[in-house]
Amino acid sequence: MMSLTNRNKVVSKKQMSFLEKLYLPAVFGGMAITLKHTFMKKATIRYPEVKRPFSDIYRGRHVLKRDEEGRERCTACGLCALACPAEAITMVSAERLPGEEHLYREEKYARIYEINMLRCIYCGLCESACPKEAIFLTQEIVDAEYHRDHFIYGKDKLVEPADPDKRIDVSKRQTPEVLKFKTLPDQKHNI
Ligand code: SF4
Ligand code: SF4
């Protein structure tokens, strides 16, 4: 029969020698390999105590940003959900009421904003689509969970802390070209 690859190998059917029948050379050979690997540099790390450094633009779990005054930037326009190829984003908008100007930057905001982290493929298209610099992917990875429901992240997990010292730095995700674009007079609303 013709073989499909050139990786075929004829199996030897020769009689085993006395030493081979003892299996000791094979056992010692295996132990030598194990011993050698004991002293070699390990390929694994003790995660989560030890973490590998990620790229500056690694696309991990999302953050919903606040502006300099601590107001939520998202205006629930829905462009991120529209751009999302995995249909992972859902939201319910609400109108900002008088007296809530310190909470929400725009007149409309996301009362509910959810991302299904099991559906998300971390493509970053939501970040690109957002006209308000409201959503970014971060270097944080999504925690392991036992229940599927727990992978649906709401605003409690997505919106960054109001405390200025605990804000999520996304400056590395903003290229010089993006920052220059935002200084254009007709793009001031994005800042
Ligand atoms: S990163 Fe991609 S898949 Fe994930 S929510 Fe954003 S657009 Fe959807
Ligand atoms: S995150 Fe950005 S694109 Fe998505 S709804 Fe909010 S403002 Fe619109």
Side-chain angles (χ1 to χ4, degrees), residues 103-120:
L103 297 175
Y104 311 110
R105 189 167 178 261
E106 313 285 342
E107 291 168 0
K108 194 168 71 127
Y109 69 97
R111 182 170 61 78
I112 297 171
Y113 190 107
E114 289 178 344
I115 301 179
N116 185 334
M117 296 298 175
L118 289 179
R119 295 190 70 118
C120 177

Side-chain angles (χ1 to χ4, degrees), residues 62 80 83-86 88-89 115 119-126 137:
H62 313 61
C80 51
C84 178
I89 303 176
I115 301 179
R119 295 190 70 118
C120 177
I121 55 170
Y122 305 93
C123 62
L125 288 179
C126 48
L137 275 68

Side-chain angles (χ1 to χ4, degrees), residues 3-186:
S3 77
L4 295 175
T5 70
N6 60 359
R7 295 197 298 254
N8 59 334
K9 190 172 142 189
V10 178
V11 178
S12 167
K13 289 185 180 168
K14 76 175 173 65
Q15 286 287 316
M16 290 170 85
S17 68
F18 174 71
L19 261 182
E20 284 170 337
K21 282 183 185 165
L22 284 178
Y23 289 106
L24 283 177
V27 169
F28 286 126
M31 287 171 73
I33 291 173
T34 305
L35 200 65
K36 188 177 85 182
H37 280 270
T38 307
F39 299 105
M40 279 170 68
K41 187 172 180 285
K42 290 184 177 54
T44 53
I45 55 168
R46 294 174 64 88
Y47 181 85
E49 289 83 11
V50 181
K51 290 182 181 167
R52 290 191 198 284
F54 288 146
S55 147
D56 286 341
I57 51 167
Y58 177 83
R59 295 197 296 259
R61 58 172 285 187
H62 313 61
V63 61
L64 285 175
K65 293 291 291 172
R66 297 175 182 274
D67 69 3
E68 300 70 29
E69 297 170 36
R71 302 172 299 181
E72 291 178 20
R73 299 184 76 99
C74 176
T75 186
C77 65
L79 284 176
C80 51
L82 199 66
C84 178
E87 299 187 354
I89 303 176
T90 53
M91 74 192 70
V92 176
S93 65
E95 196 176 335
R96 185 181 70 188
L97 299 175
E100 290 183 336
E101 291 81 0
H102 64 294
L103 297 175
Y104 311 110
R105 189 167 178 261
E106 313 285 342
E107 291 168 0
K108 194 168 71 127
Y109 69 97
R111 182 170 61 78
I112 297 171
Y113 190 107
E114 289 178 344
I115 301 179
N116 185 334
M117 296 298 175
L118 289 179
R119 295 190 70 118
C120 177
I121 55 170
Y122 305 93
C123 62
L125 288 179
C126 48
E127 178 182 312
S128 303
C130 182
K132 297 294 177 186
E133 301 289 303
I135 188 166
F136 288 90
L137 275 68
T138 69
Q139 290 189 320
E140 294 294 314
I141 57 174
V142 173
D143 292 332
E145 302 280 0
Y146 288 105
H147 299 281
R148 296 177 72 84
D149 287 355
H150 298 171
F151 285 101
I152 298 174
Y153 281 22
K155 284 182 69 176
D156 55 326
K157 285 187 175 173
L158 293 171
V159 179
E160 69 176 341
D163 184 344
D165 296 331
K166 295 183 180 162
R167 296 282 175 83
I168 313 289
D169 179 20
V170 292
S171 55
K172 300 245 174 64
R173 302 195 62 78
Q174 295 168 310
T175 61
E177 289 77 18
V178 170
L179 294 174
K180 188 175 166 206
F181 172 78
K182 287 196 290 185
T183 60
L184 297 176
D186 61 341

